Amino acid sequence: MKEPRVFILMGRSGCGKGTQAKLLSKYLQDNNLGETLYVYTGERLRVFAEKEGSFSARLAKEEMKAGALLPSFLAVWLWSGALIEGVKENNNIIMDGSPRTLLEAAMMDDAMEFYGRKNVTPVFIETSEEWSTQRLLGRGRSDDSLKSIKERLAYFEKDVQPVIDYYEKESEYKLIRINGEQSVEKAHREIVEKVFK
């Protein structure tokens, strides 16, 4: 059994992280590289925000509607829970959209150390703000108003960019950059070539 892989997919909202996560998961399966745990923090946050009767969920929903970045403790709580429930001795892990802050990145490093995962690849899917805006407007999700999109893209520069800089310059994990403004198939091929070839 090969050493399990961990992929940390990062990029602006609408850059295609979810699509690439699915293709990567299929690639791992098709090449007998083990089963994969997929952790999508954004979806977990949306499900949590719909919880009836929860004060925390109500606050989270209001923040999300405004396009604000939810606090790190909430994101860490949700993706940590997914890891605690889903990590097995030899499964791969794909993290979609986390970490989004340096605090989360420190917690992610902590988790990977705990699970003894050394084969960690941060993947930055690069897209421009304009390109991401058009993609988000085109997908028609209820939380994709122009105002909330602008907020989300603004917090990318403020909060997520320092995480990318950390993985590029300070982390023991080697960041790879992918052109997210090409076709889905070409972006997937670029990930596979840079990771496995």
Side-chain angles (χ1 to χ4, degrees):
M1 175 72 194
K2 284 193 157 122
E3 187 185 348
R5 315 265 337 198
V6 179
F7 296 93
I8 298 171
L9 301 183
M10 297 175 294
R12 286 185 170 87
S13 290
C15 73
K17 294 182 293 288
T19 302
Q20 292 306 325
K22 288 184 185 79
L23 291 171
L24 196 49
S25 189
K26 185 177 183 323
Y27 178 88
L28 292 165
Q29 185 182 347
D30 291 350
N31 290 278
N32 297 317
L33 296 170
E35 63 176 281
T36 301
L37 170 67
Y38 173 52
V39 181
Y40 178 22
T41 309
E43 183 60 30
R44 287 177 165 267
L45 286 167
R46 278 189 287 279
V47 169
F48 170 73
E50 293 303 324
K51 260 192 166 158
E52 293 293 329
S54 162
F55 175 59
S56 299
R58 193 177 84 222
L59 291 176
K61 190 172 188 174
E62 287 165 11
E63 293 284 301
M64 286 173 80
K65 215 173 178 126
L69 181 68
L70 288 172
S72 291
F73 87 92
L74 208 50
V76 170
W77 172 65
L78 288 164
W79 60 250
S80 294
L83 293 178
I84 290 163
E85 292 162 19
V87 173
K88 297 176 186 163
E89 197 172 345
N90 287 312
N91 60 350
N92 304 298
I93 302 167
I94 296 176
M95 301 296 300
D96 177 346
S98 284
R100 307 154 315 144
T101 64
L102 285 170
L103 182 59
E104 273 190 64
M107 293 291 97
M108 186 75 73
D109 286 357
D110 204 35
M112 293 309 125
E113 196 176 323
F114 174 74
Y115 288 115
R117 300 299 162 104
K118 305 258 184 277
N119 212 345
V120 179
T121 306
V123 178
F124 174 32
I125 302 171
E126 291 189 88
T127 56
S128 69
E129 197 168 318
E130 299 72 33
W131 193 90
S132 292
T133 302
Q134 291 311 310
R135 275 288 304 272
L136 291 167
L137 287 170
R139 72 183 183 183
R141 219 169 59 192
S142 63
D143 58 337
D144 284 342
S145 71
L146 190 57
K147 183 178 181 301
S148 78
I149 287 169
K150 282 196 180 310
E151 289 290 330
R152 271 182 281 159
L153 293 174
Y155 79 60
F156 174 85
E157 296 302 333
K158 186 170 135 317
D159 297 294
V160 184
Q161 189 60 55
V163 176
I164 289 157
D165 295 342
Y166 163 73
Y167 282 126
E168 196 153 53
K169 297 173 185 148
E170 296 170 51
S171 173
E172 62 186 276
Y173 311 132
K174 186 180 173 337
L175 178 94
I176 64 168
R177 289 173 172 265
I178 301 298
N179 173 7
E181 295 187 14
Q182 56 188 335
S183 73
V184 166
E185 294 75 18
K186 282 184 177 164
H188 172 63
R189 215 161 37 239
E190 191 181 339
I191 292 173
V192 167
E193 278 165 13
K194 286 184 172 175
V195 172
F196 298 100
K197 306 291 187 234

